[in-house]
C-alpha cells in the first residue's frame, strides 16, 4: 500500500507530546511491514536542519497556495526518518511556521494548518504520487479529507485514495470562527446545509474530520468506548455514534529501539529484566545529579507530563500535603499551565530534600526518569492512550495510574490479579478521580516496595509485556483495508 502519514509533530523533529512519538514510529513499522510510506509535517524553525540532513527539493520548487485570499509560496524539504528509509516531507512556509513554537494562540492558527493540509495535497500532485491512504492525525489535519474530496475533487489522481483520521485527544478540536471555511475555500454548504463542519456557530476541524474521513479511530480500545459517552466525548459523542461502523480503537505501540533500557544512549547504566542491577545505579546517578540524598529503601516517584487538567494535577493538588508526608522522594518533569507549574515549584521549595523538579521540556531527563525511578505516577482524568506508563513498564518502573482509556488497557492492577489467584499484575490502578483514591493507591505501592521479591515480580511482569509497534501496525493495515473498501 502507498500511505501518506500527516501530523503536526513528528519525533525527533518537533515534539510536544505523544503524537510526535507515534508519528515518528508507526510509519517506520508500516514500512517494515512492506508498505511505502511518506510522512508530512510543517517545517517549524525549532530544530537544527543540518543535524537531520534536510535537503531542499528543487524539483518541486515554489508551490503557490492561497489561504485567506492571499497566495503564499510553499516549499519542500525532505530527509529520511533516522534508522529507516521512510521519507519525510517538510511543508515549508516561513510566514506561518517560523514562530518558535509548534502551536500558537495566534489569530491565524487555523490558516497555519489549512496551508499545511493543502500543501500535502499539492506536493502529492507535484510528485505525482497517488496514495491509497492518507492518514490524518488530530484536528490540525482535520480539513484535509474534506478538501481532498471537494477542493481537489477534480483531480482524478485521488480517485482511489481513502482517508483515515486518528483522534489522539478529543479535547483539542480546532474550534474557529466560521471564516475558517472561507479561508480554506471550502464550500459554505458544509457549514450550512450539510453542517458537517459547524459546531456552536463556528467551524470545528475535528467534527469535519469525523464526517468526511472514510474511517476514524482513536488510540486505545477503552478510549474508543469512552468517547461515545458525554463525559468523555467533549460534544463529539453523538457524531462518533453516527459513524460507529467506521470507528475503531487501536492501542499505540512504542518504539522499542528508542525506549530500550538495554541500549538507551540517554542513560548511564543499561539493564534488562534478566539483570536489573543497572536500574539502581541509574537511580543513584539521577538523585546525585538532582542533589537529593540516595537511599535504596526509599522509593523514588517520577512524573513526566504536560501540566494540563487532563493529567490529574487537580487531584494531586487536593492531597499535596499528604503526598509530601509519604516516605518517598519525587522527581517531576513537565510544563504547561501556570497554576500547576507554580504548585510544583511550591512543593519543591517546601521540600527541598524530597522533591526535585524541572519545569520545561527535556528529552534526556525523561529517559533518565523512566530508568531511575521506582514508581511512575499518572493519575490522568482521561487518557486516550498514554505512552509514559508503557515506557515505565519497559524500564521496570512500576506505574500507578488512574484506570481510564489507555491506562486501563496497559496496566494490570497487582491486587486485582492477586484476588483472582494470579500474580500477573504490572502496576497499581484506581477508579475514582479523587485525591483520596490516588493517595490510597500510591500508599499501597509504597508499602509493597518494601517487599523486595514481590516488587521484583511486578517489575519483571511489566518488563515482559510486548507493547512494540508490530501488533498495532498490523491492526492499522487492517484499518486501511477497511477504508479502501469504502471507495471501491
Ligand atoms: P500526551 O501526548 O498526552 O502528552 P503521552 O504519554 O502519550 O501523553 O506522551 C507524552 C510524551 O511526551 C512522552 O514521550 C513523554 O516522555 C514526553 N514528555 C512530556 N512532557 C515532557 C517533558 N517536559 N520533557 C520531555 N518529554 C516530555
Ligand atoms: C495524545 C494523548 C495521549 C496519547 C498520545 C499519542 O496526546 O493525550 O494519551 O498517548 O496522544 O496517541
Amino acid at each position: 500500500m502507498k500511505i501518506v502519514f500527516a501530523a503536526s509533530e513528528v519525533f525527533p523533529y518537533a515534539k510536544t507530546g505523544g503524537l510526535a512519538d507515534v508519528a515518528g514510529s508507526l510509519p517506520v513499522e508500516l514500512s517494515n511491514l512492506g508498505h511505502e510510506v511518506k510522512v508530512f509535517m510543517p517545517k517549524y524553525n525549532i530544530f537544527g536542519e543540518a543535524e537531520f540532513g534536510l535537503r531542499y527539493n528543487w524539483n518541486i520548487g515554489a508551490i503557490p497556495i492561497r489561504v485567506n485570499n492571499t497566495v503564499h509560496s510553499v516549499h519542500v524539504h525532505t530527509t529520511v526518518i533516522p534508522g529507516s528509509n521512510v521519507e519525510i516531507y517538510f511543508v515549508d512556509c516561513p510566514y506561518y511556521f517560523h514562530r518558535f513554537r509548534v502551536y500558537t494562540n495566534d489569530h491565524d492558527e487555523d490558516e497555519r494548518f489549512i496551508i499545511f493540509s493543502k500543501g500535502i495535497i499539492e506536493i502529492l500532485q507535484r510528485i505525482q504520487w497517488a496514495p491509497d491512504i492518507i492518514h490524518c492525525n488530530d484536528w490540525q489535519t482535520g480539513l484535509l479529507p474534506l478538501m481532498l474530496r471537494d477542493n481537489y475533487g477534480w483531480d482524478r489522481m485521488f480517485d482511489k485514495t481513502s482517508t483515515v483520521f486518528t483522534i489522539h485527544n478529543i479535547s483539542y478540536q480546532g474550534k474557529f470562527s466560521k471564516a475558517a471555511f472561507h479561508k480554506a475555500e471550502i464550500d459554505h454548504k458544509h457549514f450550512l446545509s450539510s453542517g458537517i463542519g459547524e459546531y456552536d456557530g463556528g467551524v470545528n476541524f475535528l467534527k469535519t474530520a469525523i464526517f468526511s474521513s472514510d474511517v476514524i479511530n482513536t488510540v486505545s480500545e477503552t478510549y474508543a468506548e469512552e468517547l461515545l459517552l458525554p463525559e468523555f466525548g467533549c460534544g463529539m459523542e453523538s457524531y462518533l455514534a453516527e459513524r460507529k461502523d467506521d470507528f475503531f480503537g487501536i492501542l499505540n505501540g512504542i518504539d522499542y529501539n528508542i525506549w530500550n533500557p538495554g541500549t538507551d544512549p540517554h542513560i548511564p547504566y543499561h539493564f534488562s529484566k534478566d539483570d536489573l542491577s543497572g536500574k539502581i545505579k541509574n537511580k543513584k546517578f539521577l538523585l546525585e545529579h538532582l542533589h537529593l540524598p540516595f537511599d535504596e529503601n526509599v522509593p523514588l516517584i517520577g512524573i513526566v507530563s504536560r501540566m494540563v487538567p487532563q493529567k490529574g494535577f487537580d487531584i494531586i493538588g487536593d492531597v499535596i500535603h499528604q503526598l509530601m508526608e509519604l516516605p518517598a522522594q519525587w522527581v517531576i518533569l513537565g510544563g504547561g499551565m501556570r497554576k500547576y507549574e507554580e504548585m510544583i515549584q511550591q512543593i519543591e521549595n517546601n521540600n527541598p530534600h524530597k522533591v526535585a523538579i524541572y519545569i520545561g521540556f527535556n528529552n534526556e531527563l525523561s529517559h533518565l526518569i523512566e530508568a531511575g525511578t521506582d514508581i511512575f505516577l499518572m493519575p490522568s482524568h482521561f487518557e486516550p492512550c498514554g505512552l509514559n506508563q508503557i515506557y515505565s513498564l519497559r524500564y521496570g518502573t512500576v506505574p500507578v495510574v488512574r484506570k481510564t482509556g489507555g491506562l486501563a488497557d496497559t496496566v494490570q492492577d497487582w491486587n486485582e490479579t492477586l484476588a483472582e489467584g494470579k500474580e500477573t499484575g504490572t502496576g497499581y490502578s484506581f477508579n475514582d478521580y479523587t485525591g483520596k483514591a490516588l493517595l490510597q493507591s500510591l500508599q499501597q505501592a509504597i508499602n509493597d516496595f518494601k517487599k523486595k521479591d514481590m516488587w521484583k515480580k511486578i517489575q519483571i511482569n511489566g518488563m515482559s509485556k510486548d507493547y512494540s509497534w508490530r501488533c498495532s501496525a498490523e491492526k492499522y493495515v487492517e484499518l486501511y483495508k477497511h477504508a479502501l473498501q469504502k471507495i471501491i
Side-chain angles (χ1 to χ4, degrees):
M1 256 184 260
K2 286 181 170 173
I3 302 158
V4 162
F5 194 94
S8 54
E9 50 182 277
V10 180
F11 185 82
Y13 313 101
K15 167 167 167 175
T16 70
L19 169 60
D21 291 5
V22 172
S25 51
L26 170 57
V28 175
E29 197 57 44
L30 290 166
S31 151
N32 292 340
L33 290 175
H35 302 285
E36 238 183 295
V37 194
K38 292 186 193 298
V39 178
F40 287 74
M41 71 170 273
K43 185 172 178 294
Y44 308 106
N45 60 337
I46 51 172
F47 60 88
E49 295 177 29
E51 188 188 341
F52 297 115
L54 262 65
R55 301 284 303 271
Y56 179 68
N57 191 315
W58 289 101
N59 289 333
I60 299 176
I63 309 175
I65 297 184
R66 195 170 52 223
V67 173
N68 195 20
N69 296 327
T70 304
V71 177
H72 296 271
S73 280
V74 169
H75 298 256
V76 184
H77 302 247
T78 57
T79 186
V80 287
I81 294 186
S84 78
N85 23 15
V86 174
E87 237 184 328
I88 172 157
Y89 285 66
F90 294 90
V91 178
D92 183 19
C93 182
Y95 175 78
Y96 284 120
F97 297 126
H98 284 198
R99 299 193 182 175
F100 297 97
R101 273 169 305 154
V102 174
Y103 309 117
T104 74
N105 284 322
D106 297 346
H107 70 280
D108 57 356
E109 189 71 349
D110 50 348
E111 293 169 36
R112 298 178 73 224
F113 293 104
I114 289 169
I115 204 156
F116 175 50
S117 295
K118 282 192 167 187
I120 295 169
I121 297 171
E122 299 233 3
I123 292 165
L124 291 171
Q125 291 175 322
R126 299 302 190 283
I127 61 174
Q128 280 294 296
W129 202 74
D132 299 298
I133 298 290
I134 300 187
H135 184 162
C136 299
N137 293 275
D138 275 352
W139 73 261
Q140 292 83 2
T141 49
L143 297 191
L144 193 153
L146 179 59
M147 291 198 294
L148 187 77
R149 203 177 69 200
D150 267 34
N151 304 38
Y152 296 90
W154 54 268
D155 191 343
R156 300 272 76 90
M157 190 181 100
F158 297 116
D159 277 358
K160 293 204 160 80
T161 300
S162 295
T163 50
V164 170
F165 184 78
T166 301
I167 300 169
H168 293 264
N169 192 330
I170 204 130
S171 67
Y172 302 101
Q173 299 184 356
K175 292 178 181 168
F176 298 98
S177 78
K178 67 178 180 189
F181 270 3
H182 170 72
K183 292 173 176 183
E185 298 175 349
I186 288 176
D187 196 319
H188 207 50
K189 72 174 186 232
H190 295 302
F191 189 80
L192 295 174
S193 48
S194 87
I196 67 169
E198 189 277 336
Y199 188 76
D200 241 356
V203 163
N204 184 313
F205 281 36
L206 193 96
K207 182 184 170 196
T208 311
I210 290 174
F211 284 115
S212 54
S213 308
D214 292 310
V215 164
I216 313 142
N217 82 302
T218 187
V219 288
S220 69
E221 282 174 17
T222 296
Y223 192 59
E225 286 165 19
E226 289 172 344
L227 282 186
L228 299 172
L229 309 170
E231 189 191 341
F232 292 93
C234 298
M236 297 292 115
E237 56 280 359
S238 59
Y239 310 134
L240 287 169
E242 274 183 56
R243 298 267 353 240
K244 72 173 185 321
D245 292 342
D246 300 312
F247 175 48
F248 302 88
I250 300 179
L251 190 72
N252 286 331
I254 63 166
D255 190 323
Y256 270 33
N257 292 322
I258 294 176
W259 295 93
N260 180 351
T263 55
D264 190 334
H266 301 301
I267 64 174
Y269 303 101
H270 292 145
F271 59 97
S272 68
K273 68 176 178 359
D274 302 318
D275 177 8
L276 276 164
S277 58
K279 186 160 173 68
I280 190 116
K281 293 183 190 157
N282 285 311
K283 176 174 177 179
K284 198 161 184 228
F285 179 91
L286 178 62
L287 286 169
E288 256 167 35
H289 286 81
L290 297 171
H291 306 295
L292 290 180
F294 168 76
D295 180 343
E296 66 173 308
N297 295 315
V298 176
L300 177 59
I301 302 169
I303 295 181
V304 179
S305 182
R306 290 184 295 115
M307 291 182 177
V308 292
Q310 173 193 347
K311 300 293 180 180
F313 284 93
D314 289 326
I315 58 170
I316 292 180
D318 288 345
V319 287
I320 196 74
H321 299 298
Q322 291 98 308
L323 291 176
M324 288 304 120
E325 279 162 17
L326 295 172
Q329 292 170 305
W330 296 75
V331 46
I332 303 172
L333 164 65
M337 282 169 67
R338 189 72 180 260
K339 64 171 179 176
Y340 299 130
E341 292 183 358
E342 282 172 1
M343 174 177 90
I344 298 300
Q345 185 68 64
Q346 194 66 41
I347 61 168
E348 186 191 46
N349 291 349
N350 296 342
N351 305 274
H353 303 298
K354 243 185 164 174
V355 180
I357 66 161
Y358 183 111
I359 305 276
F361 198 87
N362 186 333
N363 186 48
E364 192 150 344
L365 182 57
S366 74
H367 283 249
L368 201 52
I369 291 176
E370 291 295 1
T373 54
D374 299 298
I375 295 171
F376 193 89
L377 181 61
M378 211 160 158
S380 306
H381 191 198
F382 67 92
E383 195 60 71
C385 176
L387 297 174
N388 277 308
Q389 83 283 8
I390 310 182
Y391 300 146
S392 302
L393 292 171
R394 182 119 163 95
Y395 281 69
T397 300
V398 176
V400 173
V401 303
R402 172 143 185 276
K403 206 183 248 185
T404 181
L407 297 172
D409 293 353
T410 51
V411 177
Q412 287 79 41
D413 186 80
W414 174 254
N415 292 310
E416 271 177 29
T417 62
L418 273 188
E420 292 163 6
K422 294 181 284 188
E423 294 194 338
T424 50
T426 56
Y428 297 82
S429 54
F430 57 96
N431 276 309
D432 295 347
Y433 186 64
T434 60
K436 190 171 161 220
L438 153 67
L439 193 62
Q440 269 172 2
S441 207
L442 200 54
Q443 258 163 345
Q444 173 85 56
I446 291 171
N447 284 340
D448 289 353
F449 176 75
K450 292 185 209 130
K451 305 168 193 159
K452 293 293 171 207
D453 288 343
M454 189 176 110
W455 191 257
K456 191 166 174 195
K457 174 101 188 97
I458 304 172
Q459 286 178 298
I460 306 271
N461 284 350
M463 294 178 92
S464 308
K465 292 277 173 194
D466 182 0
Y467 288 112
S468 60
W469 263 112
R470 178 53 65 105
C471 169
S472 301
E474 280 167 0
K475 289 187 183 158
Y476 271 101
V477 173
E478 290 310 309
L479 189 76
Y480 296 158
K481 286 184 185 157
H482 180 87
L484 284 173
Q485 277 165 10
K486 306 276 303 180
I487 53 160
I488 290 167

